Amino acid sequence: MPFFFPEHAQHPFYGTFYGRLSAVERGMVLREFIGVTYRRRFQFFNRYRFHHPQSAFKNNLYLAAQRQDRRFCIRRRIWRKKQLLPAYLKLIFRHYVLGFVVQMIRKRHARVLPTEPGCYPDAPLILAALEWFAEHEPELEALIEKQIAQVLAEDSRHLYLYCLRAFYITRQLCDTLPLQAAVTRSLRYRIGGQVPLGAELEFSNLGHRASFEHSFGRHGQDQPFRNFIYFHQFFLEDVSWRLGGYLDHHVRLRRYLSVPWIGGFFEYNLVRIDYPRRYSLPLTRDPGFLARYIQRVVAFNRCVAPHSLHLNVECVDQGALLVPQLSDYLCLLLLGGDLTVDDNGRLCERRFARNELIKMVQQRRHESLFDHIHHLVTEYAFLRLSATRGYDDWLSLILALAGFNRVSDLGRYCLEPLGDLLYWAHQPQALAGQEIESFLAKVEQGMLADSSLDKVLVQCHLRRLRHWLERQNARLT
């Protein structure tokens, strides 16, 4: 058989199914299986000195597939942990199916999906795939469960076989359930925008206790994932590459490297596009697109509870900037923090009160893959990720942060008053009306500076923000 078909795939199901695939479809399977290696293929080939004078690209892909197939085999000692397998295999299958849907949409509908200069090119395809995934979740869930049962019965440990079965699911559904409706729906949420945006989403069933200092030796509190201490043994980083998946174990000196038997947060870093993490790209300039993207990613990773969100906003030259006040940071916490009742029945802002945060706001320089320029980006790291927030909630929050970022001098005054914020988090007091109005005036100034946004929409979301702040502030009185 052409392309790549290993010896351990000689089971009648795989041979029959693969034999019916067209050359294009076999190429799709190969690309999805190689994953990150295919995206970074020229770096990979140079590193391993792969070269053939004839048909170099095709032969090098075959060699890369051979290497990946040898590596992507779950070890026997991990496979014996039968209680873990269904949950981890479900994550693998869901990500493979998502990747194939992205490829199907690119092949059939890419021309109607707009790309934004300087932003992640695949983002519109992925959102459309996430829309399709959400629409057909029951059918997908049933088919994935059936394929996992087959894999367990066969005692199959190779991810190449999972990839083939995932394509079997995708091909079966995409031929009967059209993609066009999902593509059209993904376009409805665009509102325009000029400021590059990105996001990082953390998931954990243990919440703040997933970090190393809280979880070591207590992984069993999270069943069945065991705080993702087997994340790398199931190759989830390679499988979830389209969403920038990796394990954030909060061991700072080895942040992007595997640390055996240390779990952490399953994170989607939507601004990273290469696994050495040298480059990054904004996801979009459109706040509406990003709001829907966040909502759909949370729904997609339904097996793991959402925990926190980092929103990245590129700094745009705006001339004279305003110095942020303590009340501005408190308004941000009212909008995006975690104001809730503690175990003693008192209101608190949990992210600060439980020492989850080192900083609320920090600035970094991200090097773009396209222009190789370091862009100044503000990272808002205090946001609680929630599955209950709807599209309008996320959109209002993103517009508020982008507007506030545009007019605030965070470069010189990015060291927020942490002591005051920590004290307030334990004993939150209501803000004065003029403090809320001052914050909203800054947000409005920044939102109106983006000429591509509809002014009626801006005023609508300013009203929503005012109501949101007043409602949260009333809880403190």
Side-chain angles (χ1 to χ4, degrees):
M1 294 179 180
F3 294 92
F4 180 72
F5 193 81
E7 290 185 4
H8 59 76
Q10 300 304 319
H11 184 281
F13 168 81
Y14 303 110
T16 302
F17 174 64
Y18 194 82
R20 292 173 180 170
L21 299 181
S22 67
V24 171
E25 290 172 327
R26 293 178 185 182
M28 292 171 65
V29 171
L30 183 61
R31 285 195 297 271
E32 199 60 39
F33 176 63
I34 294 176
V36 182
T37 299
Y38 182 81
R39 178 57 59 91
R40 298 192 295 111
R41 52 189 175 271
F42 299 110
Q43 298 176 34
F44 175 84
F45 297 147
N46 288 336
R47 183 190 314 158
Y48 291 95
R49 303 181 187 278
F50 287 168
H51 179 71
H52 288 271
Q54 302 293 329
S55 304
F57 182 64
K58 179 180 176 181
N59 283 299
N60 286 338
L61 282 180
Y62 182 83
L63 290 170
Q66 283 185 315
R67 174 186 174 274
Q68 297 291 74
D69 187 49
R70 288 193 299 271
R71 190 166 74 90
F72 286 2
C73 179
I74 300 169
R75 296 178 182 176
R76 277 286 180 193
R77 60 188 177 88
I78 303 298
W79 191 255
R80 294 190 189 103
K81 302 178 185 294
K82 299 300 183 183
Q83 73 279 11
L84 299 174
L85 298 182
Y88 275 97
L89 291 178
K90 182 182 289 187
L91 287 179
I92 293 172
F93 270 87
R94 288 176 71 85
H95 285 88
Y96 271 148
V97 171
L98 179 69
F100 284 126
V101 176
V102 169
Q103 290 199 56
M104 293 280 195
I105 292 173
R106 177 185 285 113
K107 188 167 64 127
R108 302 178 186 181
H109 304 288
R111 64 186 182 280
V112 301
L113 291 169
T115 57
E116 300 176 67
C119 296
Y120 183 38
D122 284 355
L125 301 169
I126 294 174
L127 178 58
L130 289 168
E131 293 283 0
W132 185 88
F133 215 103
E135 183 180 3
H136 304 298
E137 186 72 59
E139 298 96 323
L140 285 162
E141 184 79 10
L143 288 172
I144 288 173
E145 292 285 353
K146 183 177 179 180
Q147 296 303 317
I148 290 174
Q150 292 292 330
V151 163
L152 293 174
E154 293 171 9
D155 201 32
S156 300
R157 296 180 293 119
H158 288 266
L159 263 66
Y160 184 79
L161 305 183
Y162 309 161
C163 190
L164 275 176
R165 286 189 175 274
F167 188 64
Y168 175 77
I169 293 172
T170 311
R171 189 169 179 256
Q172 182 178 342
L173 286 179
C174 286
D175 288 344
T176 57
L177 302 172
L179 299 167
Q180 180 63 56
V183 172
T184 303
R185 188 163 55 255
S186 71
L187 296 172
R188 294 175 188 162
Y189 298 93
R190 290 188 173 273
I191 63 170
Q194 298 173 335
V195 179
L197 303 165
E200 304 164 39
L201 291 76
E202 286 187 344
F203 297 82
S204 172
N205 293 332
L206 290 179
H208 75 288
R209 294 179 291 120
S211 57
F212 170 72
E213 61 272 20
H214 296 294
S215 67
F216 189 72
R218 295 187 290 274
H219 305 305
Q221 296 171 3
D222 170 26
Q223 295 295 339
F225 293 108
R226 296 185 62 82
N227 200 31
F228 287 101
I229 60 174
Y230 303 107
F231 187 90
H232 297 285
Q233 283 76 18
F234 284 92
F235 312 102
L236 289 180
E237 185 170 73
D238 297 87
V239 172
S240 62
W241 65 275
R242 288 188 186 276
L243 295 172
Y246 76 100
L247 181 71
D248 189 354
H249 43 55
H250 288 193
V251 180
R252 297 298 174 187
L253 295 180
R254 296 176 60 85
R255 185 174 181 187
Y256 299 122
L257 301 175
S258 62
V259 181
W261 317 118
I262 291 180
F265 299 94
F266 185 1
E267 179 162 335
Y268 290 135
N269 194 330
L270 303 180
V271 299
R272 298 288 184 183
I273 64 164
D274 67 323
Y275 272 74
R277 289 175 171 80
R278 176 182 173 185
Y279 302 111
S280 67
L281 286 176
L283 190 76
T284 181
R285 287 182 170 83
D286 191 315
F289 179 91
L290 180 58
R292 186 63 171 180
Y293 207 101
I294 292 171
Q295 185 185 18
R296 280 295 173 231
V297 169
V298 171
F300 171 76
N301 199 16
R302 59 188 296 182
C303 304
V304 193
H307 175 65
S308 65
L309 168 69
H310 293 195
L311 191 72
N312 300 279
V313 184
E314 187 168 321
C315 298
V316 179
D317 187 12
Q318 188 62 25
L321 298 173
L322 304 172
V323 178
Q325 305 298 312
L326 173 62
S327 59
D328 295 329
Y329 291 112
L330 296 181
C331 285
L332 291 175
L333 285 177
L334 289 179
L335 290 174
D338 191 4
L339 192 66
T340 190
V341 177
D342 65 13
D343 295 336
N344 298 317
R346 294 177 298 188
L347 270 175
C348 69
E349 199 292 312
R350 279 199 302 188
R351 300 220 64 200
F352 264 114
R354 293 195 303 204
N355 297 314
E356 292 182 41
L357 295 173
I358 300 174
K359 286 180 66 65
M360 269 186 71
V361 182
Q362 50 193 328
Q363 290 193 319
R364 308 177 187 274
R365 291 195 175 272
H366 291 185
E367 183 180 356
S368 169
L369 177 69
F370 292 148
D371 58 21
H372 294 276
I373 294 175
H374 286 85
H375 297 257
L376 183 62
V377 175
T378 304
E379 181 180 313
Y380 293 89
F382 65 94
L383 303 168
R384 176 65 77 207
L385 188 63
S386 171
T388 60
R389 281 189 172 168
Y391 167 76
D392 287 326
D393 294 330
W394 289 121
L395 179 54
S396 294
L397 183 58
I398 294 167
L399 287 170
L401 292 176
F404 178 75
N405 191 75
R406 192 157 190 161
V407 300
S408 300
D409 193 350
L410 296 169
R412 288 184 295 167
Y413 301 98
C414 198
L415 293 175
E416 64 265 29
L418 290 175
D420 293 334
L421 290 170
L422 185 60
Y423 179 81
W424 184 89
H426 283 281
Q427 299 178 356
Q429 303 295 315
L431 279 68
Q434 62 267 28
E435 292 176 319
I436 292 178
E437 292 302 322
S438 173
F439 171 77
L440 288 172
K442 295 176 182 178
V443 170
E444 181 177 13
Q445 181 182 342
M447 289 167 67
L448 292 175
D450 192 334
S451 58
S452 67
L453 294 177
D454 180 74
K455 290 183 172 53
V456 174
L457 180 139
V458 167
Q459 294 303 321
C460 174
H461 282 279
L462 281 170
R463 288 192 296 271
R464 291 189 87 257
L465 289 167
R466 176 175 279 104
H467 177 68
W468 192 342
L469 286 169
E470 291 173 349
R471 185 176 68 250
Q472 289 285 76
N473 203 42
R475 297 176 63 192
L476 307 179
T477 58

